């Protein structure tokens, strides 16, 4: 069931004996895992199975902002005889990935197929098996976020929400980005200071943004709604039939395994 934010107060209302909180999704920031850990309650999520769908959504947003797709469709549907703006090709652009987990890797694979150069920033370089993920040999690690921002034509964010990543992108980070670059976020809304993004878009320093998540979901900054250089989706990154089935199946496997053996496939906490 969906219960909203599972914080200390919410957990206090559950009956004694609650042992497992299973999140149907890769993100679990709505659960206070620290409190759950103190209560000796396990928390699980569904990583991996959302990677492809979320990566597809990221590329959808990328192509939409590069080709001004929303504006063109809006004008057609409303009978506005405006001359379409010329778009941009992703080929030979540099895509900078912030975070290189499963979703970041899946985006890199798709971006390389589009002819993009791919660089990434992570806490440390990723290790990979060339026989399994050969495309990662074409991806370059950049050790600092500022270097990545300055080198990229497009920035795409793929980090979990935490105290460390909240407002990871604010005025300073947008200023370091290339003039005329593009910004994508399909991770978590509060990773971005939305007002700072609006200002960067309004100034023209950021040419466009593709967003599936928002700082104050379900509310969206009104200036993002009005900006024709912004492509928006209402947090639909993993919202496909196939991916939902995979998420639910993994959730049930966690529950079944816990009930039969006391172990879990994808725990996010330990005690």
């Amino acid at each position: 069931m969906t219960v909203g934010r599972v914080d200390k107060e919410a957990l206090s209302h559950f009956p004694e004996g609650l042992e497992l909180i299973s999140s149907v999704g890769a993100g679990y920031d709505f659960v206070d895992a620290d409190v759950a850990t103190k209560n000796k309650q396990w928390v699980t999520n569904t990583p991996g199975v959302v990677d492809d769908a979320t990566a597809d959504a990221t590329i959808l947003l990328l192509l939409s902002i590069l080709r001004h797709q929303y504006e063109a469709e809006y004008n057609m549907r409303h009978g506005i005889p405006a001359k379409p703006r010329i778009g941009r090709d992703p080929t030979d652009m540099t895509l900078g990935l912030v975070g290189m987990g499963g979703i970041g890797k899946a985006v890199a694979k798709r971006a390389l197929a589009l002819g993009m150069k791919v660089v990434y920033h992570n806490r440390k370089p990723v290790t990979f098996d060339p026989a399994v993920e050969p495309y990662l040999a074409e991806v370059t690690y950049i050790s600092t976020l500022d270097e990545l921002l300055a080198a990229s034509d497009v920035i795409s964010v793929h980090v979990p929400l935490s105290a460390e990543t909240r407002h990871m992108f604010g005025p300073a980070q947008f200023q370091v980005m290339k003039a005329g670059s593009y910004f994508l976020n399909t991770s978590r809304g509060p990773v971005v200071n939305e007002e700072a993004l609006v200002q960067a878009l309004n100034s023209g320093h950021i040419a466009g943004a593709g967003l599936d998540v928002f700082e104050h979901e379900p509310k969206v900054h009104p200036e993002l709604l009005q900006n024709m250089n912004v492509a928006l989706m209402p947090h639909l990154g993993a919202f496909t039939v196939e991916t939902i089935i995979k998420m639910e199946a993994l959730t049930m496997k966690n529950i079944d395994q816990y009930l039969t053996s006391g172990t879990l496939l994808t725990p996010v906490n330990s005690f």
Side-chain angles (χ1 to χ4, degrees):
M1 62 178 176
T2 301
V3 295
R5 177 155 179 79
V6 185
D7 54 15
K8 183 176 182 179
E9 181 181 358
L11 287 170
S12 71
H13 293 291
F14 283 93
E16 290 186 19
L18 175 66
E19 298 180 19
L20 176 60
I21 303 164
S22 290
S23 170
V24 185
Y28 56 91
D29 45 275
F30 68 94
V31 179
D32 193 326
D34 291 335
V35 172
T37 300
K38 291 178 183 177
N39 294 345
K40 297 191 179 303
Q41 295 160 332
W42 292 101
V43 180
T44 63
N45 66 339
T46 58
V49 295
V50 304
D51 295 351
D52 286 334
T54 307
D56 289 344
T58 303
I59 297 300
L60 173 64
L61 289 169
L62 168 65
L63 295 177
S64 180
I65 58 177
L66 290 180
R67 298 297 295 269
H68 307 295
Q69 182 274 333
Y70 169 67
E71 181 180 51
E73 182 173 350
Y74 180 91
N75 289 341
M76 286 186 68
R77 290 182 181 276
H78 290 81
I80 300 173
K83 184 177 180 179
R85 286 188 287 166
I86 298 174
R88 300 283 307 277
D89 289 330
T91 305
D92 294 328
M93 280 188 171
T94 297
L95 172 65
L97 298 172
V98 181
M100 197 61 162
I103 296 172
K105 290 179 179 180
V107 172
K109 185 176 183 179
R110 288 156 173 75
L112 289 167
L114 291 173
M116 302 184 80
K117 301 170 185 175
V118 180
V119 295
Y120 74 96
H121 170 69
N122 210 42
R123 288 181 178 177
K124 58 183 179 180
V126 297
T127 57
F128 64 96
D129 182 347
V132 178
E133 299 171 314
Y135 62 92
L136 289 179
E138 302 177 53
V139 175
T140 302
Y141 174 69
I142 294 182
S143 61
T144 70
L145 179 60
D146 280 358
E147 288 181 77
L148 180 90
L149 299 180
S152 302
D153 301 299
V154 182
I155 291 295
S156 190
V157 185
H158 305 284
V159 297
L161 178 61
S162 66
E164 181 182 356
T165 62
R166 184 176 293 273
H167 280 193
M168 183 181 192
F169 280 84
Q173 288 70 37
F174 290 122
Q175 190 57 44
V176 173
M177 287 174 61
K178 281 185 179 182
S181 58
Y182 300 85
F183 182 78
L184 303 169
N185 185 16
T186 55
S187 61
R188 285 293 184 265
V191 169
V192 178
N193 179 327
E194 217 161 76
E195 180 61 35
L197 174 58
V198 166
Q199 295 305 317
L201 286 162
N202 288 347
S203 72
H205 185 73
I206 302 301
L211 307 170
D212 183 47
V213 291
F214 306 93
E215 186 176 1
H216 304 292
E217 279 182 35
K219 295 180 181 179
V220 181
H221 196 295
E223 293 191 50
L224 292 176
L225 293 171
Q226 298 164 10
N227 195 323
M228 287 292 183
N229 294 317
V230 178
L232 305 171
M233 289 170 50
H235 206 151
L236 298 180
F239 203 59
T240 68
V241 170
E242 294 80 3
T243 298
I244 291 171
I245 290 172
K246 292 175 185 176
M247 288 192 292
E248 292 176 344
L250 180 52
T251 299
M252 293 309 299
K253 286 178 182 177
N254 266 310
I255 294 170
D256 182 62
Q257 183 165 312
Y258 185 71
L259 292 175
T260 56
S261 68
T263 62
L264 293 163
L265 294 169
T266 59
V268 301
N269 62 339
S270 61
F271 49 85

